[in-house]
Amino acid sequence: MIALFSSEYCCSVGATAGKNDELTITEALHDPLIAMVMRADGVTSEEFKRLLEAAARELKANLANSSFPSTRG
């Protein structure tokens, strides 16, 4: 499953779509392990947030333009 969430963007696909087993952007920004890696890499919370939101927008756009058959009835 691929899931990226924020206040404006939400994209969830795959066999477990609809199940909330992935971190939200807010949760990722507050996760202690992720914070340690960001600190070690010299990445600020704001930079990481912008990266995740950009990835969510791109994934949403790619899914909207994909040739996958619709699962809607």
Side-chain angles (χ1 to χ4, degrees), residues 5-67:
F5 300 88
S6 78
S7 58
E8 295 180 33
Y9 307 101
C10 175
C11 187
S12 179
V13 297
T16 58
K19 295 182 182 175
N20 198 6
D21 59 353
E22 300 289 329
L23 293 176
T24 65
I25 290 176
T26 300
E27 289 168 339
L29 291 170
H30 291 95
D31 183 271
L33 182 57
I34 292 173
M36 288 182 355
V37 173
M38 287 172 32
R39 194 169 29 258
D41 290 342
V43 176
T44 67
S45 293
E46 187 56 38
E47 290 170 326
F48 189 51
K49 179 181 177 185
R50 284 194 310 265
L51 173 72
L52 293 176
E53 289 176 340
R57 282 191 303 272
E58 185 173 334
L59 180 59
K60 186 175 182 178
N62 287 342
L63 290 173
N65 295 323
S66 73
S67 59

